[in-house]
Amino acid sequence: MSSGSLQQPAFIRFLSSMALSSLAYQMLVVAVGWQVYDLTHSAMSLGLIGLMQFTPQFLLTLVVGHVADRYDRRLIVVGTRLLQALLVSILALGSWQGWIAIHGIFACAFLLGATRAFESPAQQALLPSLIDSSNLPRALALNSSLREASVIIGPALGGLLYALHPEMVYWCSAVSFLLSSVAMSLIPKPAKIVHREPPTLRSVFAGFSYIRHNPVVLGAISLDLFSVLLGGATALLPIFARDILNTGPWGLGLLRAAPSVGAVVMSLLLARYAIRNNAGKIMFAAVAVFGVATIIFGLSESFLLSFTALLVLGASDMVSVVVRSSLIQLETPDEMRGRVSAVNFIFIGASNQLGEFESGVTAAWWGVVPAVVVGGIGTLLIVALWMKYFPALVQRQQLTKAVS
């Protein structure tokens, strides 16, 4: 397998577009989180940002999957990123002119969640058509490493720009979304025609049906859902940065970037040394490490220890991402990848955005430290339960499709 097999113009443009979009979003996350906490000083408000993004993703799950399987996936991504650039520009204007309020930020978060609901399944389903299937695991690892590299730069840059002028973050994010849209528009239409199955009740629910009848994929997706739902603490980082670790926006940017630093290192290792055996056991071990790192972060009062715990957290999560993504993409027929990716995206959205809401609620009830520590313990309990109820996933050896 030659490295040149990944050096295809369409794939490179796809990577460029994805990295620019990820950079824009991560800068945006830092700015919105700090601005909301500045306006409200409320953990619940930080959690509501996640709920605002998750709600449209949940409501549109069935629609976006069919759209991704019936229409040009490139154009879907191009259109959604243009809309994202427009929404972020509104935040920039509001911050610059001083009329932005918490309800306006929540409204923009809701609309951004709606655009991402259409964008993500189309982008995920597009990738396998741009690369040979034998190279897909390596392509996914490379895709993840580049995305995470942009996630390292984005939060640090976003925190620095916010410390100068809040609106500067939003303007830079809007420009990055715009450039991402341009890069995606330069990808030629794939030669393989997507089978446009007419919409029926059965076809609409085909993604759910596929996952429900595949215990390996169901176990992998649901493990990620519940472990990150309980163990995620990113929504509370502004509180940890300001009130516990005594740092400012720049320190928050570093904390935001830390999981991605760990993820980049791990994804580069996985691109060089692919998982060939014991994939299921490796995935469970990684999720357990994720839970332990979450507990350590919650208990830490040292910036260095907190940063290190987030490094380990990101590295362990990347293992789960690569295993789950490879299983889904390699075992799903192209004509229904959009619907399966839409279901996968709602699971990811639930674990991330809904997890942020869960963190905000529990932090408001118990305090930020108990909320994070209990979440990490919950992740370890989920690992134990899933190893019992999904033995096929535990015993899974390779990431390629199992031969029956």
Side-chain angles (χ1 to χ4, degrees):
M1 185 185 301
S2 64
S3 60
S5 60
L6 295 181
Q7 297 174 4
Q8 301 176 21
F11 179 58
I12 293 173
R13 290 166 186 165
F14 177 92
L15 290 179
S16 300
S17 177
M18 177 277 305
L20 286 165
S21 175
S22 179
L23 179 68
Y25 182 73
Q26 293 302 321
M27 286 192 293
L28 180 64
V29 165
V30 170
V32 169
W34 197 270
Q35 190 168 30
V36 166
Y37 195 56
D38 262 344
L39 291 172
T40 66
H41 299 283
S42 167
M44 179 67 78
S45 295
L46 290 174
L48 284 173
I49 298 174
L51 183 63
M52 288 298 102
Q53 293 184 77
F54 171 75
T55 300
Q57 295 168 9
F58 176 75
L59 295 176
L60 294 169
T61 301
L62 299 178
V63 175
V64 299
H66 243 289
V67 169
D69 281 338
R70 288 180 60 81
Y71 301 102
D72 191 329
R73 292 162 179 167
R74 300 165 308 126
L75 297 183
I76 294 172
V77 177
V78 168
T80 55
R81 288 179 181 165
L82 287 175
L83 289 173
Q84 289 162 1
L86 176 62
L87 289 168
V88 177
S89 296
I90 293 174
L91 290 173
L93 284 172
S95 298
W96 177 40
Q97 298 179 354
W99 50 259
I100 195 68
I102 188 65
H103 298 297
I105 296 176
F106 284 158
C108 285
F110 183 91
L111 294 174
L112 283 166
T115 62
R116 285 171 62 81
F118 283 93
E119 171 197 35
S120 186
Q123 179 176 262
Q124 291 179 27
L126 176 63
L127 176 55
S129 66
L130 303 177
I131 203 76
D132 186 81
S133 61
S134 63
N135 290 317
L136 187 58
R138 293 178 62 230
L140 287 169
L142 182 59
N143 179 64
S144 296
S145 66
L146 188 57
R147 182 184 66 243
E148 296 296 342
S150 68
V151 175
I152 295 171
I153 299 171
L157 181 60
L160 180 60
L161 291 174
Y162 189 93
L164 298 174
H165 293 288
E167 63 271 15
M168 290 181 63
V169 190
Y170 293 127
W171 285 125
C172 289
S173 176
V175 170
S176 190
F177 275 128
L178 182 61
L179 293 175
S180 172
S181 180
V182 172
M184 183 63 68
S185 70
L186 296 177
I187 297 177
K189 186 175 182 178
K192 188 173 183 179
I193 304 299
V194 176
H195 174 62
R196 299 190 174 188
E197 184 179 356
T200 64
L201 190 62
R202 179 180 178 181
S203 66
V204 165
F205 285 93
F208 287 99
S209 178
Y210 166 81
I211 292 173
R212 183 169 61 86
H213 290 95
N214 190 320
V216 171
V217 175
L218 175 61
I221 291 178
S222 59
L223 174 65
D224 179 82
L225 165 66
F226 289 105
S227 61
V228 177
L229 178 65
L230 294 174
T234 55
L236 304 177
L237 285 180
I239 302 176
F240 276 93
R242 171 179 284 184
D243 299 339
I244 296 177
L245 302 176
N246 300 313
T247 186
W250 190 74
L252 172 62
L254 288 178
L255 292 175
R256 281 276 186 188
S260 296
V261 174
V264 164
V265 174
M266 180 56 68
S267 60
L268 291 175
L269 288 173
L270 292 174
R272 179 66 179 87
Y273 306 101
I275 297 174
R276 303 191 184 280
N277 295 294
N278 298 312
K281 293 177 182 177
I282 290 174
M283 181 180 183
F284 277 106
V287 176
V289 171
F290 178 92
V292 173
T294 299
I295 295 171
I296 294 173
F297 173 77
L299 295 173
S300 171
E301 295 183 359
S302 161
F303 185 89
L304 181 59
L305 180 59
S306 297
F307 185 84
T308 303
L310 291 173
L311 286 175
V312 175
L313 184 149
S316 58
D317 186 53
M318 179 52 60
V319 176
S320 174
V321 168
V322 170
V323 172
R324 184 186 69 247
S325 299
S326 298
L327 288 173
I328 293 171
Q329 298 289 19
L330 290 173
E331 297 199 1
T332 305
D334 181 71
E335 63 270 14
M336 63 179 294
R337 277 199 178 109
R339 281 161 289 177
V340 172
S341 294
V343 177
N344 181 43
F345 181 61
I346 199 63
F347 275 78
I348 295 172
S351 63
N352 291 325
Q353 279 81 45
L354 197 57
E356 292 179 5
F357 177 66
E358 177 270 338
S359 296
V361 171
T362 55
W365 289 347
W366 307 332
V368 291
V369 172
V372 173
V373 172
V374 170
I377 294 172
T379 297
L380 297 178
L381 292 176
I382 289 296
V383 170
L385 288 173
W386 260 237
M387 290 185 72
K388 176 181 178 180
Y389 291 111
F390 292 93
L393 180 57
V394 177
Q395 299 302 322
R396 182 64 182 242
Q397 290 295 311
Q398 299 179 338
L399 294 181
T400 53
K401 185 174 181 179
V403 180
S404 56

